């Protein structure tokens, strides 16, 4: 087994892990960050284990910073995955051999691989500010459009589905956008974000009226220029009011 992996196991809880569904929004598309395992064509979500001296929340903050370079990022635990067959659902029968090449012949004989509980965290990241970085056992770390996600290792496709459902539910009681949009954005860009998450079209006038009624947006004197149509005004979130709305969980009906 790879010595780095042995050292890693010695420093961490062996039967509890963290998996992160990191959402980003770019060019009108909702994306999720994936890792490509070293020497294979298989992808998975970013994640890791909890060091013995840290809490679960501290661990996920560390993992997110290692993969994206971002320190201030919205995150929320959305589900705990504890099925006893989580590692049986693999995209290829050759997966076991590939993993054993990476980690050693006794990889699947380890107790933690037979039964492992994973805490699923959902994160909203600033796409343009994120510096995507693979870890030591992966070759690549990149954004994938939600509609183009391949079959992933383990139960990670289910994790993304559950995270997306949790994000949609969140739209009913909290504002979304501060961590996904640039500092300045147009109302059509905000609407496109909501439509992408919800998977449906929204009425333009009703959406704008609704968003302004929550009093979390600041209309700027600037306009977005360079487009083929009428230049729309730019907005930004009032951070203090946005944070209060997040804390109060006011009813959002989109």
């Amino acid at each position: 087994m790879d010595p780095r992996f042995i050292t890693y196991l010695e420093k961490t809880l062996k039967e509890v892990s963290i998996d992160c569904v990191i959402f980003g929004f770019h060019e009108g598309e909702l994306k999720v960050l994936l890792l490509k395992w070293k020497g294979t064509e298989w992808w998975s979500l970013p994640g890791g284990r909890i060091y013995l001296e840290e809490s679960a929340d501290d661990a996920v903050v560390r993992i997110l910073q290692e993969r994206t370079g971002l320190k201030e990022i919205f995150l929320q635990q959305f589900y705990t995955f504890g099925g006893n067959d989580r590692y049986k659902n693999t995209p290829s029968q050759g997966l076991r051999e590939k993993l054993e090449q990476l980690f050693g012949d006794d990889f699947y004989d380890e107790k933690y691989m037979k039964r492992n509980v994973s805490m699923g965290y959902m994160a909203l990241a600033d796409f343009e500010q994120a510096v995507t970085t693979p870890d030591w056992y992966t070759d690549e770390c990149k954004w994938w459009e939600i509609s183009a996600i391949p079959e992933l290792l383990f139960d990670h496709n289910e994790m993304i589905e559950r995270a997306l459902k949790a994000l949609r539910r969140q739209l009913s009681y909290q504002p979304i956008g501060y961590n996904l949009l640039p500092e300045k954005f147009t109302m059509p860009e905000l609407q496109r974000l909501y439509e992408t998450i919800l998977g449906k079209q929204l009425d333009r006038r009703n959406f704008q009226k609704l968003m302004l009624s929550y009093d979390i947006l600041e209309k700027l004197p600037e306009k977005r220029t360079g487009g083929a149509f009428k230049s729309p005004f730019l907005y930004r979130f009032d951070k203090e009011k946005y944070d209060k709305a997040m804390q109060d969980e006011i009813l959002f009906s989109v």
Side-chain angles (χ1 to χ4, degrees), residues 33-226:
L33 195 64
L34 297 178
L35 293 171
K36 183 180 179 183
W37 285 50
K38 195 176 292 292
T40 78
E41 294 301 318
W42 296 309
W43 296 80
S44 74
L45 291 168
R49 299 189 175 276
I50 304 169
Y51 289 139
L52 297 174
E53 71 276 7
E54 66 184 355
S55 68
D57 286 346
D58 289 340
V60 74
V61 169
R62 170 179 54 79
I63 292 168
L64 288 168
Q65 186 173 354
E66 291 172 349
R67 300 287 72 78
T68 67
L70 300 175
K71 294 182 179 180
E72 294 185 7
I73 187 170
F74 171 86
L75 62 93
Q76 176 179 295
Q77 187 179 157
F78 67 92
Y79 197 77
T80 299
F81 298 84
N84 60 4
D85 60 349
R86 295 185 55 230
Y87 294 101
K88 293 181 181 179
N89 300 322
T90 60
S92 169
Q93 292 184 354
L95 172 63
R96 174 171 178 157
E97 288 75 15
K98 284 292 185 180
L99 293 180
E100 288 178 344
Q101 289 176 17
L102 287 174
F103 299 107
D105 293 339
D106 56 348
F107 183 66
Y108 264 84
D109 293 330
E110 295 287 344
K111 181 180 178 182
Y112 78 92
M113 276 302 297
K114 295 179 179 178
R115 185 63 185 271
N116 180 264
V117 174
S118 182
M119 302 167 66
Y121 278 81
M122 173 180 66
L124 308 181
D126 186 333
F127 180 93
E128 296 183 353
Q129 296 297 319
V131 179
T132 57
T133 306
D135 49 33
W136 64 271
Y137 61 89
T138 56
D139 284 328
E140 189 176 356
C141 181
K142 77 169 188 177
W143 296 99
W144 284 72
E145 293 181 7
I146 289 291
S147 59
I149 292 173
E151 188 174 8
L152 304 178
L153 293 178
F154 316 127
D155 54 355
H156 289 191
N157 289 93
E158 179 190 352
M159 288 184 178
I160 293 175
E161 292 175 4
R162 286 187 177 274
L164 189 56
K165 289 179 181 178
L167 184 60
R168 288 170 177 163
R169 287 195 301 269
Q170 188 174 334
L171 287 179
S172 67
Y173 62 87
Q174 285 182 329
I176 290 291
Y178 181 78
N179 299 84
L180 293 173
L181 292 169
E183 180 184 0
K184 299 177 183 180
F185 53 87
T186 65
M187 191 64 70
E189 289 168 345
L190 179 62
Q191 180 172 338
R192 176 57 180 164
L193 170 62
Y194 273 66
E195 289 178 336
T196 302
I197 293 173
L198 293 171
K200 66 178 182 180
Q201 290 188 331
L202 303 171
D203 180 81
R204 181 182 61 83
R205 291 184 179 180
N206 289 341
F207 179 82
Q208 178 168 327
K209 182 179 179 181
L210 184 66
M211 288 296 106
L212 293 178
S213 71
Y214 294 131
D215 194 30
I216 58 174
L217 297 177
E218 178 185 354
K219 186 176 182 180
L220 304 174
E222 311 165 50
K223 290 186 176 183
R224 175 81 76 216
T225 59

Side-chain angles (χ1 to χ4, degrees), residues 20-31:
C20 303
V21 182
I22 306 175
F23 290 114
F25 188 71
H26 184 62
E27 295 182 346
E29 294 288 344
L30 189 66
K31 301 176 185 290

